[in-house]
Amino acid sequence: MMSSAALDSDDPSPAPSSHPRLRVARLGAVVVLALAGGCSSSSGEVASPSASPPPGEPSVEPTDPGPSTQGPARAQENDPPKNCAPASNPADGTDVTVTVRTNVGPHGASAPVSTDRRLYGMNIADWVPEDYSPNIGPAYLALLRALNPGVLRWPAGHRSQEYRWSRGGDGQRGNWTLYPADVDAFMGLVHAAGTEPLIGINVKTGTPAAAQDLVRYLNIEKGYGVRYFQIGNEPDLVDGITPSPEVYADELIAFTDAMRAVDPSIRVIGPELLTGAHVGGMQGTRDWMTPILGRAGDRIDGISWHYYPLDSGQPSPTSGATLTEAHLFQESADDWRPAGLAFADEVMPALASLRNKYAPHAEIWITELGEDPGPAAGLGLSDTLAAGLWVGDVLGRYAEYGPGAVFRWIFKSGPEHGYSLLDPNDRPKAAYGAYWLYAAHFGDRFVDSESSALTQVAVHAALRSDGAVTVALVNKSIESRKVHLALDGACVSSASQLTLSGPSLSGGSFDVNGRSLTADTASAGIEPASVSSDVLFDTELPPSSMRVLVYRP
């Protein structure tokens, strides 16, 4: 997690004055969701992780295009009419205009950007083992499975830098011991959740021999087939973990070579930098990523870093990194650019450039994502409706760049941590609700989308394997907003919606379509509300809410 020391910078350089997503002229307080244009079919469908539609939604049979020599399938006489060119004029009183283009990807990509279940990765708190050992809590498991996570990270955070492997031999240090029974219990959770693990390797106080034996236990003796191993955690944190990026690179090479001597098929994730500012020496910080990739890029399969915009340990009340609702939704911050939502558009292209130069085979992983890693651990903000709306926006922003994996910090923790998705009694927080809307209902191929008033209403859109176009609207305003949608490149016959909302932005209570999100409702699904055919492309968002619209062909 991020250190408050990382936030101290004397660099006066301002944040970027423009944002690449702000390409539509502002229409005052108007929001328009535009689905304009003709009907066109999309090619190259990518199957979603599940063959069936999300819970609570009807099955939609895909259209059979017939042999390629016959061209597109013809509409049958009894097919419902499809709205391929909605009216260009928004309804009276529209506040915001949103445009979705289904034939191209975000940020100038020529095609939709694919993601998979690893977008919903989760950090698992090894310091609260009673959730899954000796038995897995039924509600805990149901709520985890409902998010369909593609990978679970464990031991999480700095705990992965503080253990000694009980079979690892001499030379190790650590303030807790990792036993085979601990590993087996976690792997039981992995299998029950239908996912796979990312195992943290202790570089700080461990040894290559201990890491090698852990791989031997997992994949040779037990046959768990673990693919992903994380080498170290936040070596750039200023607490004496690693003196330089060159030292970390040498450690990564030594540990990786020892581990691959046991199982050459493993995939190595690193360097786990604590903040994107260290990607290229932003604002006077030291550049760790470039020298590490330059020295050890051929060993790395996942280029990993952590994203925390704010810090409850920030001493300056005027800093853009101070923990407030306003700062959570800010587009940019002059004193600390990672504090702004627009940082995604700065750091992800920078990482892609370094990847292409030093490790073209590697993916980009965000292995920790949360509102605040500081000493207050997000208390008072991460457990609010505001945090849920932040997740609804920020997760979509990073997904649009096609990361290999994104991990929430953290799925569940103890009462001392506010940033978990579940409270100590397995009750979902609003941030869980935002994850659930994406994981249970959203598509896996992100397409281009724009908002005329991004600071009020954010938009993200994706294609689903059943042919649906899914649109997420995040109303960050404390007032309702009327949105008009223009959809280019798709024909629509019907639509439904699910809305996450609550009585107060700073409160913790929320519901989805008026129902509480529990282990039962998250698993079984909540019935989407039908959208009337005469207002398919005009929707009114409640104050401080997130709505997912599902448009079917």
Side-chain angles (χ1 to χ4, degrees):
M1 294 183 294
M2 184 187 298
S3 165
S4 60
L7 296 174
D8 296 330
S9 172
D10 297 325
D11 190 318
S13 58
S17 59
S18 62
H19 190 290
R21 293 174 59 89
L22 290 169
R23 293 177 295 203
V24 178
R26 291 187 177 274
L27 302 179
V30 175
V31 178
V32 178
L33 178 56
L35 296 172
C39 173
S40 64
S41 61
S42 59
S43 60
E45 283 289 337
V46 178
S48 68
S50 173
S52 59
E57 295 202 12
S59 298
V60 178
E61 293 296 329
T63 300
D64 181 3
S68 58
T69 57
Q70 297 180 10
R74 296 185 179 182
Q76 302 299 312
E77 291 183 0
N78 59 353
D79 283 349
K82 293 180 172 58
N83 193 337
C84 295
S88 58
N89 295 325
D92 292 341
T94 294
D95 296 313
V96 179
T97 304
V98 173
T99 305
V100 173
R101 302 177 183 88
T102 63
N103 292 328
V104 294
H107 310 295
S110 61
V113 173
S114 295
T115 60
D116 59 35
R117 292 174 55 196
R118 295 176 300 166
L119 180 63
Y120 312 116
M122 292 290 143
N123 281 271
I124 299 300
D126 55 279
W127 57 90
V128 193
E130 55 268 25
D131 284 323
Y132 56 87
S133 177
N135 299 304
I136 304 173
Y140 178 93
L141 179 60
L143 288 163
L144 181 61
R145 289 180 61 122
L147 297 185
N148 202 24
V151 62
L152 305 180
R153 181 175 180 248
W154 180 95
H158 278 293
R159 293 275 292 180
S160 67
Q161 290 282 68
E162 297 170 348
Y163 71 81
R164 57 183 308 277
W165 171 232
S166 64
R167 303 185 352 163
D170 296 336
Q172 302 180 87
R173 305 188 313 278
N175 56 26
W176 69 285
T177 301
L178 180 65
Y179 294 98
D182 302 321
V183 174
D184 294 340
F186 171 69
M187 291 304 302
L189 174 65
V190 168
H191 293 155
T195 183
E196 62 179 314
L198 167 61
I199 300 295
I201 297 298
N202 182 2
V203 173
K204 179 182 177 182
T205 61
T207 65
Q212 186 178 61
D213 186 74
L214 181 54
V215 174
R216 181 180 296 109
Y217 177 78
L218 285 163
N219 288 356
I220 306 303
E221 297 177 22
K222 301 293 290 190
Y224 287 136
V226 175
R227 285 198 298 169
Y228 300 125
F229 289 87
Q230 163 196 315
I231 306 299
N233 181 77
E234 298 182 348
D236 51 339
L237 188 64
V238 189
D239 67 355
I241 291 178
T242 308
S244 70
E246 291 77 16
V247 169
Y248 170 83
D250 289 344
E251 291 174 339
L252 184 147
I253 292 170
F255 276 73
T256 297
D257 290 354
M259 295 160 65
R260 284 188 170 143
V262 175
D263 185 351
S265 70
I266 66 171
R267 303 186 67 183
V268 170
I269 312 301
E272 296 290 314
L273 296 189
L274 69 92
T275 170
H278 292 181
V279 167
M282 298 177 186
Q283 296 191 213
T285 62
R286 183 173 186 177
D287 181 2
W288 281 69
M289 189 67 82
T290 302
I292 289 172
L293 293 181
R295 201 176 186 105
D298 61 337
R299 304 301 208 283
I300 296 175
D301 301 292
I303 301 170
S304 56
W305 66 290
H306 303 163
Y307 181 59
Y308 296 99
L310 307 182
D311 184 7
S312 55
Q314 170 57 239
S316 171
T318 62
S319 169
T322 305
L323 203 65
T324 68
E325 290 175 2
H327 287 161
L328 196 61
F329 296 139
Q330 65 192 333
E331 279 298 307
S332 61
D334 291 346
D335 65 319
W336 181 244
R337 291 206 294 275
L341 285 164
F343 187 63
D345 300 313
E346 183 175 0
V347 69
M348 292 301 280
L351 284 166
S353 178
L354 290 172
R355 183 265 313 277
N356 294 341
K357 183 175 182 179
Y358 296 111
H361 63 287
E363 299 176 319
I364 296 173
W365 287 39
I366 305 169
T367 45
E368 293 182 18
L369 182 147
E371 299 81 9
D372 160 47
L379 291 172
L381 184 61
S382 294
D383 50 0
T384 66
L385 177 61
L389 303 184
W390 177 79
V391 166
D393 191 3
V394 76
L395 188 61
R397 294 195 188 216
Y398 282 103
E400 290 172 347
Y401 285 98
V406 178
F407 294 73
R408 170 67 188 192
W409 184 270
I410 196 164
F411 181 64
K412 181 186 175 184
S413 185
E416 71 279 8
H417 296 139
Y419 42 48
S420 58
L421 296 187
L422 306 182
D423 74 8
N425 296 310
D426 293 327
R427 288 189 294 260
K429 300 178 183 180
Y432 178 96
Y435 263 96
W436 181 83
L437 285 176
Y438 273 117
H441 296 276
F442 219 64
D444 58 6
R445 293 189 300 143
F446 280 74
V447 298
D448 186 58
S449 60
E450 297 176 359
S451 170
S452 66
L454 184 59
T455 58
Q456 298 177 32
V457 176
V459 58
H460 306 287
L463 307 180
R464 216 165 64 180
S465 63
D466 61 1
V469 178
T470 56
V471 179
L473 299 171
V474 183
N475 182 9
K476 296 173 280 189
S477 169
I478 59 174
E479 299 177 356
S480 63
R481 287 288 180 261
K482 292 183 178 180
V483 179
H484 177 73
L485 169 65
L487 178 62
D488 184 14
C491 301
V492 172
S493 62
S494 63
S496 60
Q497 63 189 30
L498 292 111
T499 305
L500 184 157
S501 60
S504 169
L505 188 63
S506 58
S509 61
F510 75 99
D511 58 49
V512 176
N513 281 14
R515 297 188 61 188
S516 296
L517 199 57
T518 65
D520 290 337
T521 57
S523 299
I526 292 176
E527 186 69 22
S530 296
V531 177
S532 175
S533 60
D534 59 341
V535 290
L536 281 180
F537 307 112
D538 292 282
T539 187
E540 183 170 357
L541 303 176
S544 306
S545 64
M546 175 180 175
R547 173 168 291 167
V548 168
L549 289 150
V550 179
Y551 289 96
R552 299 181 189 83

